[in-house]
Amino acid sequence: GFVLGNGTWYHIALCCTNGAPGSATAYVNGAAVVTAAWTKAANYTFGLIVGQFPGFWPLAGQVDTARLYDRALSADEVVRNYRAGLARHQ
């Protein structure tokens, strides 16, 4: 349920942790907007596509900077990254 508006810059982060169960938390502008159970699929049959998940509409906008980490960021790290990006986009 979070709707992004047109013509506005957003910082979006998705942090996933594996385990039994794992979790995924989506952040918009440094604030957690949803957390849900996450189960890592054993074998993905698609490549990484920034701005679209297979079977869904693509992002109607531009991606400024994409980063992929080998671990889930903490909430504080997400906020620091958001603030660093916000300073560049004001």
Side-chain angles (χ1 to χ4, degrees):
F2 188 84
V3 178
L4 303 177
N6 291 330
T8 302
W9 179 87
Y10 292 95
H11 178 272
I12 299 172
L14 178 64
C15 298
C16 303
T17 59
N18 293 322
S23 66
T25 301
Y27 295 85
V28 176
N29 294 343
V33 294
V34 65
T35 297
W38 166 269
T39 302
K40 179 182 173 184
N43 294 307
Y44 289 104
T45 59
F46 52 87
L48 176 65
I49 302 169
V50 176
Q52 181 179 10
F53 189 79
F56 293 87
W57 291 100
L59 174 71
Q62 297 177 347
V63 176
D64 177 82
T65 304
R67 295 180 185 159
L68 183 64
Y69 296 85
D70 63 353
R71 63 181 177 80
L73 299 180
S74 69
D76 288 340
E77 289 172 311
V78 171
V79 170
R80 280 195 301 269
N81 285 344
Y82 163 63
R83 289 182 179 155
L86 185 61
R88 286 193 327 263
H89 291 280
Q90 288 185 334

